[in-house]
Amino acid sequence: MQLHRLEIEGFGPFRGRQSIDFDAFADDGIFLIAGRTGAGKSSILDAVCFGLYGGVPRYEKGGEKRLRSDHCEPDDVTEVVVEFSTVGGRYRVTRSPEYLRPAKRGGGLTKQAAAVSLEELTEGGWVGRAARAVDVANELNEILQLTQEQFLQVILLAQNRFADFLLADSRERQALLRRLFGTDRFADYQTRFDERRREAEQALGGSRAMVDARLDEAERIVGDADLWGDDAEAVADTTDARVERLRRAIARADYRVEQLGTERAAAEKALATADAALALLKEQRQAQTERDRARSALAALDAQADQIADATTRRDRARAADALRALIVAATRASVDRAAAAQAEEAAVASAAGLVRADPTSPGATPDRMRAAAYRDLASERTRESGAWQQAAELEAGAARRGAQLTAARTAVDAASAALAALDAEHEALPAQIRELTSEHDLARRGADRLDGAAQSVALAERQLAGALDVERLGAAVVAAAAAESAASDAHTRAQAELAHLRRRRLDGYAGELASALVDGEPCAVCGATAHPAPAAHADPVSADDIEAAEIARDAVAAAERAASRALAERTAELAAARERSGGLGADDARARLAVAVAARDAAEADVARSRELSARLDDLHRGLADLEQRRAQASDALASSRTELSLAEQRIADADAAIARARGDHDTVADRLAEAHEQIAIATAAAEAIEAHADAAGRDHAAGAELTEALEASVFADATEAQHAMISATELSALDERITAYAVDVKKERALLLDLEMRMLPEEPIDLAPAEQRAQQARDAWQGAVDADSRARSVQKSLSATVDSAAHAHAASAEQAAEFEVLRGLADALAGRSGNTHKMNLETFVLAAELEEIVSAANLRLHDMSDGRYQLRHSDALAARGAASGLGIVVFDAFTGQTRPAKSLSGGETFLSSLALALGLAEVVTARAGGIRLDTLFIDEGFGSLDADTLETAMRTLDELRQGGRTVGVISHVEAMQEQIPAQLRVRTVPDGHSVIDAPRRAV
């Protein structure tokens, strides 16, 4: 993989768009990213990692991921573009984080969603490959073949990150290697085998417990059934012996079942014989009882023969009389109705005397139907005349109501005229009021239109005042921060000089240390001579602890210098921002401007309130005018309607008076004439109806009498009275019929039964059943005892056989389970590093240890040259403390002493060189595991400040070797010596307003 171009905008300390062309450093092979502490050098590497993976190294362990630059304005864009190439082609990733931007509608801020796209360079130009985050991630995984963790270990070595791997303990190193090499599957293998071992162990324990429980149950059954026999005193201490002992008991149970089965069959045969004899005697005894009962029943039925004959005669006469019942009742009712109709006719005709011209009751009068028609003609004539008189009577009754309607109509005309006049007067006053309020509203609205401008002026004045106050406050803070930064820089310079002085004294004192160990006659460790004529003196010695203490002091003041520089940069940026917010005004001028702006805003707000009030009043007046015009139109319509109603009332009164005069005739009132007509109609109608009803009743009486006479002649009765005496109720008739039928059925049934029983020739004396019942009960008791004994024996035999067979089968299966469990336990213990594994090295640790051996071997190829052959890293599988897993240790072999020591005992510079060598070795192994991909770009961030001049020179030689073969190495450092030795440089600097910019690539002179 090779980086070609990086573009950054609105990211970290970079506000404006910054562009870096890495191809410009291809000829040099190594370039320096330089700048003051806090300028944003490491943010370049953050941008590369964010563009490729969407994450930032410095935010991996938590904290707020503030990727968007704090210097951005709301409308500024945040974006990172990374252009790179692999053996598969050239690609470009464009990525933006999630941030807030101004809303396009409604004001305020809205969330801008994260975005990413991936493009590939083809012959026709850049072509998009993916535009969704998940799709881009999948594509990049295929293209890069490196995870983010691997990328940070082999390409982008962030500040002090590569030292973590050297100084980590076994547990931390295991976690890192697991992520780099993806060995989680080996831990999964171990977990799965442990689970299978536990499951097999639980299953084996359950099987064995089940076997013991079943054998215990079988022995209990044998004991309860007394089947032990000669084995009662035998002791079985193994499962197989217990099974064999129980099988002998099963044989005894089989014999017992066979013996009891024979006894049960004999008892069943004896019981069947006794039951058959008893059943025969019971049947004969029952037949004797039925014979005697039938004889008694027939005698009783013969005694009732006369009564049944009388009942039959009475039933037959009642049925004949019941056939004449309806005719007798009809004839009687018709005679009664004829007499009543004659009386009603006589009374009605008497009441109607004088209404017709000829008296219908005098001699020589017309027949009944003609007399009724004369009365009906009179009623019809009076009905036709009273129809016209009825309407006039209603008009006569409503005279008072019509007078009241006339008065109400006149009053309504007067009221409508007065209401219309009042509305006309009110309508004339409203237009003048509307014109006056409209003028006032326009004046207030012009003042209200100035509110937005006044509010913006207030906000601007408030920002300027706050900025002016911040300028006064931050001026002193910048002076103090500058002084602190200068003091920290001086302290760093002094500490660096002191460390260099101690190192020179340390080198000068090595000869004295060697001389102090010389003994006459023993060979020198350097030259081998046994004579030592002039050993060097050991003056002003400096120990390794002195060097380490000086390095610690130097690192502390360096950190203090960086902190002071950051503080100065932050205060300076804050002061510049405050000056920009103040607009160049002092605090007093800003306060005065704010007061003027507030007064203008308050006046505009008052105009707004006045405008709203006047607008509401105008709306009320306009609504009132519209309502008044609507009410005026309604009043005019009401007046016209009232006048029309008055005319109609006067006309109705005149028409009613004329109709009443015509209908009254000679009577005092129309109602009197109408009452007289209604009375005549009722009398005539009643007379006609009475005559017609009498004629109908006479006809019905004659017909009913003739029909009854004909029926009596055909019956057994002489007259209707005799038939009425023979009648009985339906219930009594039904009871007689049922009694006669039941008597006939009983006689027939009893005679047939008695005949059958007499043919069997049974003895007259009752048969004694007691002896046979006693013999049958004795046989049943014997059979029940045999059945119970046989059932118990068979149950014991079946239960015992099933339990023993189940236990034997389970015992055989548990043996197979035990063998399988031993195999699984051995495999699980081997994978987990238990049992005979004294180093407690599990499978995953074993695989990682092999990888670590290769990493250490690759690292030593560079560390040998960087340390002039003194140091060598060695993989250690020494037993870890407190039961931790072993196999992932790293120790340092010192050729000067011939001993190994912990990596943490190295000095700062030695640690840097060893860590760099280990990181490069790790990169080689990781890339080989990732498919042998080629890494043409490498970044190393800081760490060179802890090196002395000689060690720095060694590190530079190593970096110079890395660029061989076309690789480009980017180094981030603020060390001046490196700036002198690396001519190709990329400088990051902070501008006065606080944000950072990247200068174009240049070469140091």
Side-chain angles (χ1 to χ4, degrees):
M1 173 186 173
Q2 182 176 2
L3 290 177
H4 296 288
R5 190 174 187 83
L6 174 67
E7 295 183 7
I8 310 171
E9 182 176 3
F11 183 90
F14 305 107
R15 175 184 173 182
R17 197 169 191 86
Q18 307 297 314
S19 179
I20 303 175
D21 184 7
F22 294 112
D23 291 339
F25 303 110
D27 294 336
D28 294 277
I30 185 170
F31 66 95
L32 178 69
I33 301 176
R36 294 176 59 87
T37 300
K41 301 186 297 296
S42 297
S43 295
I44 295 175
L45 305 189
D46 292 343
V48 172
C49 190
F50 172 72
L52 294 177
Y53 294 96
V56 177
R58 288 186 285 179
Y59 298 141
E60 287 180 344
K61 296 183 179 180
E64 183 182 6
K65 298 185 178 182
R66 298 184 60 181
L67 303 179
R68 181 169 168 81
S69 176
D70 292 337
H71 303 287
C72 286
E73 294 294 332
D75 291 326
D76 290 344
V77 176
T78 297
E79 184 179 78
V80 172
V81 181
V82 181
E83 187 176 333
F84 66 95
S85 64
T86 66
V87 293
R90 186 158 179 162
Y91 307 93
R92 182 169 65 191
V93 182
T94 304
R95 193 184 298 270
S96 298
E98 181 183 276
Y99 62 91
L100 298 178
R101 62 168 178 78
K104 296 180 180 180
R105 296 181 180 178
L109 297 177
T110 186
K111 184 178 293 184
Q112 176 68 40
V116 62
S117 64
L118 174 64
E119 300 170 282
E120 182 178 5
L121 183 61
T122 63
E123 294 181 357
W126 290 102
V127 177
R129 285 191 58 166
R132 291 195 313 158
V134 62
D135 296 334
V136 171
N138 293 333
E139 292 282 349
L140 288 176
N141 286 339
E142 185 68 23
I143 294 170
L144 298 175
Q145 300 183 26
L146 290 174
T147 66
Q148 181 178 347
E149 184 68 28
Q150 292 172 330
F151 180 81
L152 296 175
Q153 285 292 337
V154 302
I155 292 181
L156 197 158
L157 305 180
Q159 294 183 10
N160 299 324
R161 186 180 185 88
F162 48 85
D164 293 343
F165 185 61
L166 174 65
L167 302 178
D169 58 21
S170 294
R171 184 174 289 104
E172 294 171 346
R173 190 173 292 117
Q174 181 184 35
L176 177 59
L177 290 174
R178 177 184 292 134
R179 292 194 299 271
L180 291 176
F181 294 103
T183 58
D184 293 342
R185 63 186 185 280
F186 297 107
D188 291 340
Y189 297 156
Q190 175 184 335
T191 301
R192 292 177 185 175
F193 269 98
D194 281 337
E195 291 177 354
R196 291 182 60 185
R197 178 190 60 79
R198 285 193 296 271
E199 292 173 356
E201 185 176 9
Q202 293 174 358
L204 178 60
S207 297
R208 289 175 174 174
M210 180 181 66
V211 171
D212 291 338
R214 290 177 179 175
L215 291 178
D216 292 341
E217 175 64 17
E219 290 172 349
R220 183 193 64 77
I221 294 172
V222 171
D224 293 343
D226 192 19
L227 293 173
W228 283 123
D230 296 338
D231 292 331
E233 302 298 330
V235 177
D237 55 354
T238 65
T239 301
D240 293 335
R242 294 176 69 186
V243 171
E244 182 61 28
R245 184 179 178 219
L246 288 168
R247 290 202 182 278
R248 290 195 294 272
I250 292 174
R252 298 185 190 96
D254 293 342
Y255 175 75
R256 181 179 293 180
V257 168
E258 183 179 358
Q259 183 180 19
L260 291 175
T262 302
E263 295 176 359
R264 175 179 177 175
E268 286 179 352
K269 184 175 180 181
L271 175 61
T273 301
D275 284 344
L278 178 60
L280 180 59
L281 291 177
K282 285 184 176 180
E283 182 182 359
Q284 293 177 350
R285 174 64 181 272
Q286 181 64 28
Q288 286 180 326
T289 303
E290 285 296 319
R291 181 195 62 189
D292 296 341
R293 187 200 60 76
R295 289 174 178 174
S296 300
L298 279 176
L301 289 172
D302 290 342
Q304 299 177 14
D306 294 339
Q307 296 178 4
I308 294 302
D310 294 341
T312 301
T313 301
R314 185 182 176 193
R315 179 196 64 182
D316 294 341
R317 287 180 62 80
R319 284 178 177 173
D322 192 60
L324 299 173
R325 184 189 299 273
L327 297 176
I328 295 173
V329 171
T332 303
R333 183 178 296 116
S335 177
V336 173
D337 291 343
R338 180 178 182 177
Q343 293 178 358
E345 178 187 359
E346 183 179 359
V349 170
S351 297
L355 291 181
V356 293
R357 295 180 179 180
D359 185 1
T361 60
S362 61
T366 61
D368 294 337
R369 296 296 180 184
M370 295 180 64
R371 291 187 296 131
Y375 285 113
R376 290 196 179 278
D377 291 342
L378 175 64
S380 297
E381 183 180 358
R382 292 290 183 271
T383 300
R384 286 193 299 271
E385 292 175 347
S386 63
W389 302 339
Q390 180 65 40
Q391 184 177 5
E394 293 174 355
L395 293 174
E396 186 179 55
R401 176 174 53 81
R402 289 191 295 276
Q405 289 176 350
L406 179 62
T407 303
R410 289 171 178 168
T411 303
V413 169
D414 296 340
S417 298
L420 182 60
L423 290 174
D424 288 339
E426 185 177 356
H427 183 269
E428 294 176 358
L430 281 178
Q433 298 179 19
I434 292 175
R435 286 193 297 273
E436 182 180 357
L437 282 179
T438 300
S439 177
E440 294 182 16
H441 175 261
D442 291 341
L443 181 62
R445 182 171 51 78
R446 285 193 292 272
D449 291 341
R450 294 190 291 269
L451 178 59
D452 291 340
Q456 294 176 0
S457 299
V458 170
L460 176 61
E462 289 176 344
R463 287 196 298 272
Q464 289 175 340
L465 177 58
L469 295 175
D470 289 342
V471 168
E472 293 179 354
R473 175 178 57 81
L474 293 172
V478 169
V479 173
E485 195 269 345
S486 178
S489 180
D490 294 342
H492 185 200
T493 302
R494 290 193 298 273
Q496 185 68 33
E498 177 64 20
L499 177 60
H501 177 65
L502 289 176
R503 284 175 174 166
R504 286 193 297 272
R505 287 171 55 194
R506 173 67 170 168
L507 293 174
D508 294 341
Y510 279 156
E513 292 183 6
L514 291 173
S516 64
L518 294 176
V519 178
D520 290 335
E522 295 182 3
C524 174
V526 178
C527 63
T530 57
H532 316 295
H538 193 348
D540 193 15
V542 175
S543 66
D545 292 338
D546 295 335
I547 297 296
E548 183 176 2
E551 289 176 345
I552 293 173
R554 189 277 316 277
D555 292 342
V557 296
E561 180 189 15
R562 290 193 295 272
S565 297
R566 286 195 297 272
L568 176 59
E570 291 173 357
R571 300 290 86 75
T572 302
E574 292 175 358
L575 179 60
R579 285 174 177 165
E580 183 178 356
R581 292 196 301 273
S582 68
L585 296 178
D588 294 337
D589 293 339
R591 289 191 184 92
R593 180 172 294 184
L594 177 61
V596 173
V598 169
R601 182 196 61 191
D602 294 343
E605 289 178 346
D607 288 336
V608 169
R610 178 63 176 167
S611 174
R612 290 174 180 170
E613 178 188 356
L614 293 175
S615 178
R617 291 174 59 186
L618 277 173
D619 291 342
D620 292 340
L621 287 178
H622 283 295
R623 284 193 297 270
L625 179 60
D627 180 65
L628 182 60
E629 290 176 350
Q630 182 179 4
R631 287 189 288 127
R632 185 174 178 277
Q634 292 174 350
S636 178
D637 293 342
L639 177 60
S641 176
S642 298
R643 288 173 177 170
T644 300
E645 185 61 30
L646 176 61
S647 299
L648 292 175
E650 292 173 346
Q651 183 63 40
R652 283 196 296 271
I653 290 175
D655 293 343
D657 291 344
I660 291 170
R662 290 192 300 271
R664 187 169 52 237
D666 298 334
H667 294 75
D668 294 336
T669 63
V670 177
D672 292 343
R673 189 175 185 183
L674 188 60
E676 180 183 2
H678 286 166
E679 182 180 1
Q680 291 177 357
I681 291 170
I683 292 173
T685 300
E689 291 175 351
I691 292 171
E692 292 171 349
H694 184 204
D696 292 340
R700 287 194 301 272
D701 182 36
H702 177 73
E707 187 177 3
L708 177 59
T709 300
E710 183 180 359
L712 285 172
E713 290 176 354
S715 68
V716 297
F717 302 107
D719 53 26
T721 303
E722 183 180 354
Q724 287 176 338
H725 289 162
M727 292 180 184
I728 59 177
S729 66
T731 302
E732 187 176 0
L733 179 62
S734 177
L736 284 174
D737 194 39
E738 289 178 359
R739 179 183 177 188
I740 295 168
T741 302
Y743 176 80
V745 170
D746 289 344
V747 169
K748 183 177 180 181
K749 181 184 70 173
E750 295 299 336
R751 285 177 178 172
L753 179 60
L754 180 60
L755 179 61
D756 181 65
L757 292 175
E758 292 290 358
M759 294 294 292
R760 296 178 63 177
M761 305 299 290
L762 296 173
E764 294 296 329
E765 295 296 329
I767 299 173
D768 187 7
L769 299 177
E773 289 176 347
Q774 183 177 4
R775 288 191 298 272
Q777 185 61 43
Q778 291 173 352
R780 184 170 299 280
D781 292 343
W783 170 79
Q784 187 63 51
V787 169
D788 292 343
D790 182 60
S791 297
R792 287 194 298 271
R794 291 181 184 277
S795 176
V796 169
Q797 177 203 35
K798 183 177 180 181
S799 177
L800 181 60
S801 298
T803 304
V804 173
D805 289 343
S806 176
H809 292 158
H811 176 57
S814 67
E816 298 177 1
Q817 287 181 315
E820 181 181 356
F821 167 70
E822 291 301 328
V823 173
L824 287 175
R825 180 170 62 181
L827 287 173
D829 290 345
L831 294 180
R834 294 188 293 266
S835 186
N837 191 333
T838 57
H839 288 77
K840 298 183 178 179
M841 186 183 298
N842 58 27
L843 176 61
E844 182 185 19
T845 307
F846 177 80
V847 174
L848 293 179
E851 300 287 0
L852 184 59
E853 286 181 351
E854 292 193 28
I855 294 170
V856 169
S857 178
N860 283 330
L861 295 177
R862 301 188 184 278
L863 183 59
H864 182 272
D865 295 335
M866 287 193 290
S867 64
D868 294 329
R870 177 178 179 181
Y871 293 117
Q872 184 183 26
L873 298 177
R874 290 187 176 179
H875 164 244
S876 173
D877 57 0
L879 187 63
R882 293 186 294 276
S886 305
L888 297 179
I890 295 179
V891 295
V892 179
F893 174 75
D894 190 344
F896 285 5
T897 63
Q899 302 293 326
T900 59
R901 56 192 174 107
K904 293 183 179 179
S905 65
L906 295 174
S907 65
E910 294 168 345
T911 299
F912 176 79
L913 294 179
S914 300
S915 301
L916 179 59
L918 188 61
L920 296 175
L922 177 63
E924 292 180 5
V925 175
V926 169
T927 52
R929 294 294 182 272
I933 61 175
R934 177 177 176 82
L935 303 178
D936 294 321
T937 304
L938 176 67
F939 291 96
I940 300 176
D941 188 359
E942 294 294 355
F944 299 94
S946 62
L947 306 181
D948 57 30
D950 293 337
T951 307
L952 181 60
E953 181 65 26
T954 301
M956 289 301 300
R957 287 200 308 271
T958 302
L959 296 178
D960 189 62
E961 294 175 359
L962 292 177
R963 67 177 179 173
Q964 295 179 2
R967 177 180 290 179
T968 301
V969 181
V971 179
I972 297 179
S973 179
H974 63 278
V975 177
E976 295 182 0
M978 296 194 71
Q979 297 179 19
E980 297 173 357
Q981 296 187 43
I982 302 177
Q985 298 181 4
L986 191 69
R987 182 165 294 277
V988 183
R989 60 185 177 87
T990 305
V991 298
D993 64 356
H995 68 271
S996 298
V997 295
I998 302 174
D999 293 335
R1002 67 184 182 88
R1003 297 184 60 84
V1005 180

